[in-house]
Amino acid sequence: MEKIIDENKQGEALDLQGKGANTKKLFIESYGCQMNFSDSEVVASILANEGYNTTKNLEDADLVLVNTCSIREKAEITVRKRLEKYQAVKRKQNPNMKVGVLGCMAERLKSKFLEEEKIVDLVVGPDAYKDIPNLLSEVEEGRNAVNVILSKEETYGDISPVRLQSNGVTAFVSITRGCDNMCTFCVVPFTRGRERSRDPQSILEEVNDLAQKGFKEITLLGQNVDSYLWYGGGLKKDFAKASEMAKATAVNFAQLMDMVARAQPKMRIRFSTSNPQDMTLDVIEVMAKHRNICNYIHLPVQSGSDRILKLMNRQHTVAEYKKLIDDIKALIPNIGISQDMITGFPTETEEDHQATLELMKYVRYDYGFMFYYSERPGTMAERKMEDDIPLEVKKRRLQEVIDLQRDLSRDNLKNYLGQTVEVLIEKTSKKNEDEWSGRNDQNIVTILPKENYKVGDFVNVIVEECTTGTLMGRPVGLSENN
Ligand code: SF4
């Protein structure tokens, strides 16, 4: 597909296939994980080819799409509230607007969504976005439209994303789709299907294109990036059946990272999300080898209790996780590590909870994403386990995890005082117009005075203050990475 000018240039976008100015207006918003935000950029690109320009005004939109998350009940409640908002706008200001739901909630509810939410005209699952133009023509003819078929091949590798809400400096590049891990609490395997990896050549093309456009940092994205494996297309689980040639020329995650790091030595590279059971040391060795691969890993663990990890179907023990952490810190001593934790999983005892707190103290995470267990329809845990931990206990344990993480974050960030860190400037600080905000190599938000620097500069900053989540400092010149 030919490149489409990004959405920032409202109304100026031209359909490069010479169909004249894009006149239809698309309002698209995303909830949930980075995969959803990346997918919305793919959808915007597909619709740009159908004559749609993006708009930030709901009232002006011909088509309103919400990319939904289903990871917790709260995420779905948020979406239903947005649909009420659309309903109000449709009734008062924009009677002709069409409404579509995308993403994991669309995949989980399928056509039931149309019954439950009358405002909805089309329901499209994460693997069916290329069918949106056809579905829209069905809607135009007055029929509701649904496509929630999960694919064995689809990676959208042939689509050039339209960068939405982009700062022109950082971008997501999706490398895999789906997940085979079947953690008992998680809906993702049901809403995003089986694991399949994208052709490394199309990934390199996208990265080179981003570099050419002046982007300075990319995040290689997937539900489970460590199990990336390209062997010519198809599902990860069918690799064993592949030809000897395909196996011999297969590309795994470490090799892909090495290829991307070499292709764009000045481009900062991050990746997300990892799963400890699939992470291999060759990935860490490649990180240690390349200066432009950031020294930061998001390594969800969910619990510090072997008994709970087993019930969650996490394919590793606490000891194995600790060994991995030790190996990572041995190879990259100044690594930044963040976590995901779930408190109050079915049958979790006080002892299990204490084990989680002990593990956090052992790893000394920089920060984390912490939630109490939210039972999800259709998951193994929902089908096989009673959600037996009282809400107030779930919340109390969550607060203890959050409090401990705050202490760890404060102590870890204090270690940066007096140090010089390299910061990529991304935007104006939320708190102060005269200050820039960016992140250091370890993904820690860092604030500095604007002086003569600009968005996209790599700046060396001497850290003078810190909070539990932010570093503040004085710039001492552009870094050699500029
Ligand atoms: S690794 Fe587990 S938690 Fe993560 S997306 Fe896959 S099934 Fe869900």
Side-chain angles (χ1 to χ4, degrees):
M1 174 180 303
E2 296 179 41
K3 293 243 167 305
I4 302 292
I5 299 174
D6 71 31
E7 51 93 44
N8 293 337
K9 300 186 184 67
Q10 296 286 350
E12 291 170 6
L14 287 175
D15 176 325
L16 293 175
Q17 284 141 4
K19 290 188 200 146
N22 287 4
T23 54
K24 290 180 274 185
K25 291 219 167 58
L26 165 67
F27 176 95
I28 183 165
E29 58 179 348
S30 314
Y31 292 87
C33 67
Q34 295 162 329
M35 267 324 271
N36 260 5
F37 286 80
S38 169
D39 283 354
S40 293
E41 297 183 334
V42 166
V43 170
S45 182
I46 291 167
L47 287 168
N49 251 348
E50 300 301 312
Y52 284 88
N53 234 347
T54 54
T55 173
K56 289 193 172 68
N57 308 321
L58 196 49
E59 299 71 23
D60 301 345
D62 301 293
L63 176 61
V64 175
L65 295 177
V66 56
N67 202 341
T68 66
C69 173
S70 199
I71 203 80
R72 273 172 289 279
E73 192 179 0
K74 190 163 172 290
E76 296 200 353
I77 293 167
T78 304
V79 168
R80 292 191 192 272
K81 285 210 182 94
R82 289 306 290 164
L83 293 172
E84 282 168 23
K85 166 77 179 173
Y86 302 163
Q87 182 82 53
V89 170
K90 183 167 179 138
R91 210 176 21 251
K92 293 194 195 107
Q93 296 143 293
N94 189 352
N96 300 322
M97 80 183 195
K98 298 296 178 208
V99 173
V101 287
L102 315 177
C104 292
M105 193 178 169
E107 188 66 43
R108 188 178 79 72
L109 290 174
K110 302 180 173 36
S111 52
K112 233 174 92 207
F113 221 141
L114 298 169
E115 295 147 28
E116 294 179 5
E117 302 285 350
K118 297 300 175 218
I119 179 86
V120 174
D121 301 297
L122 76 160
V123 178
V124 194
D127 286 349
Y129 296 149
K130 285 182 181 167
D131 194 30
I132 292 177
N134 300 328
L135 295 169
L136 281 175
S137 47
E138 285 188 41
V139 170
E140 294 308 332
E141 286 152 27
R143 292 192 299 277
N144 285 334
V146 178
N147 184 340
V148 288
I149 296 168
L150 288 173
S151 165
K152 290 187 175 171
E153 288 85 30
E154 187 60 78
T155 65
Y156 301 118
D158 56 341
I159 306 264
S160 295
V162 167
R163 306 295 162 182
L164 298 172
Q165 280 97 27
S166 172
N167 56 13
V169 169
T170 61
F172 297 135
V173 176
S174 83
I175 64 170
T176 71
R177 298 185 71 79
C179 187
D180 291 351
N181 281 332
M182 304 308 279
C183 301
T184 56
F185 55 83
C186 186
V187 289
V188 171
F190 305 98
T191 59
R192 287 188 167 269
R194 299 282 69 72
E195 265 170 36
R196 66 222 97 113
S197 297
R198 184 179 162 192
D199 182 340
Q201 288 320 314
S202 87
I203 295 170
L204 282 175
E205 269 168 40
E206 186 175 338
V207 173
N208 293 337
D209 175 57
L210 286 165
Q212 207 193 351
K213 282 193 162 127
F215 283 78
K216 297 289 179 66
E217 178 184 293
I218 55 151
T219 300
L220 301 176
L221 209 53
Q223 242 71 52
N224 185 13
V225 290
D226 298 284
S227 75
Y228 173 91
L229 184 65
W230 171 259
Y231 63 100
L235 295 177
K236 167 91 185 273
K237 71 177 183 58
D238 296 335
F239 178 65
K241 292 182 258 172
S243 69
E244 288 315 310
M245 173 56 117
K247 286 180 182 164
T249 55
V251 176
N252 67 19
F253 186 49
Q255 292 160 329
L256 175 71
M257 285 244 278
D258 190 60
M259 288 162 79
V260 173
R262 288 173 190 283
Q264 291 295 338
K266 287 217 170 241
M267 179 78 91
R268 246 190 189 178
I269 300 164
R270 300 186 187 277
F271 57 91
S272 185
T273 296
S274 288
N275 186 307
Q277 67 208 55
D278 297 307
M279 180 167 268
T280 47
L281 273 191
D282 54 353
V283 169
I284 313 302
E285 283 150 3
V286 167
M287 287 176 74
K289 191 168 78 182
H290 293 285
R291 183 188 178 290
N292 60 332
I293 301 180
C294 292
N295 293 339
Y296 163 71
I297 296 178
H298 179 56
L299 203 57
V301 69
Q302 311 297 0
S303 172
S305 152
D306 279 333
R307 192 182 68 81
I308 295 293
L309 287 177
K310 213 168 177 52
L311 289 174
M312 288 177 165
N313 192 31
R314 303 286 282 185
Q315 302 292 324
H316 65 82
T317 63
V318 172
E320 286 162 343
Y321 183 84
K322 284 182 174 177
K323 171 86 174 54
L324 177 60
I325 295 288
D326 293 347
D327 291 344
I328 292 170
K329 288 185 175 180
L331 282 164
I332 308 175
N334 67 348
I335 189 87
I337 304 175
S338 59
Q339 43 88 349
D340 283 2
M341 286 296 177
I342 295 175
T343 65
F345 189 75
T347 76
E348 185 188 63
T349 63
E350 219 34 61
E351 197 193 341
D352 296 322
H353 173 55
Q354 290 307 320
T356 296
L357 299 175
E358 284 315 308
L359 179 61
M360 291 174 69
K361 290 174 192 161
Y362 182 88
V363 179
R364 301 197 64 74
Y365 296 102
D366 281 346
Y367 61 92
F369 304 90
M370 300 151 279
F371 300 92
Y372 60 73
Y373 174 65
S374 169
E375 188 179 69
R376 304 309 299 136
T379 58
M380 185 66 86
E382 186 252 351
R383 281 183 275 135
K384 304 273 182 192
M385 306 174 202
E386 191 203 337
D387 185 6
D388 60 353
I389 307 298
L391 185 58
E392 71 277 3
V393 175
K394 285 181 179 180
K395 286 184 173 173
R396 189 261 301 163
R397 289 178 184 167
L398 176 60
Q399 196 54 53
E400 288 174 12
V401 164
I402 290 171
D403 293 347
L404 172 58
Q405 184 55 60
R406 197 181 24 256
D407 297 347
L408 294 171
S409 301
R410 180 184 306 112
D411 296 350
N412 287 1
L413 268 63
K414 274 190 187 148
N415 296 333
Y416 285 98
L417 293 176
Q419 278 195 31
T420 300
V421 296
E422 182 195 67
V423 176
L424 171 59
I425 296 178
E426 292 173 39
K427 59 188 175 192
T428 295
S429 157
K430 279 198 212 97
K431 291 199 178 126
N432 183 337
E433 269 296 307
D434 304 325
E435 292 180 329
W436 287 126
S437 172
R439 283 167 296 139
N440 71 354
D441 199 47
Q442 288 76 13
N443 210 35
I444 307 284
V445 172
T446 306
I447 304 296
L448 61 146
K450 285 191 174 178
E451 295 184 5
N452 306 322
Y453 301 104
K454 62 186 187 312
V455 170
D457 282 349
F458 286 101
V459 181
N460 287 328
V461 175
I462 296 186
V463 178
E464 294 176 329
E465 291 172 70
C466 67
T467 65
T468 56
T470 306
L471 302 173
M472 293 84 90
R474 176 168 49 85
V476 287
L478 292 172
S479 89
E480 65 191 35
N481 207 18
N482 266 290

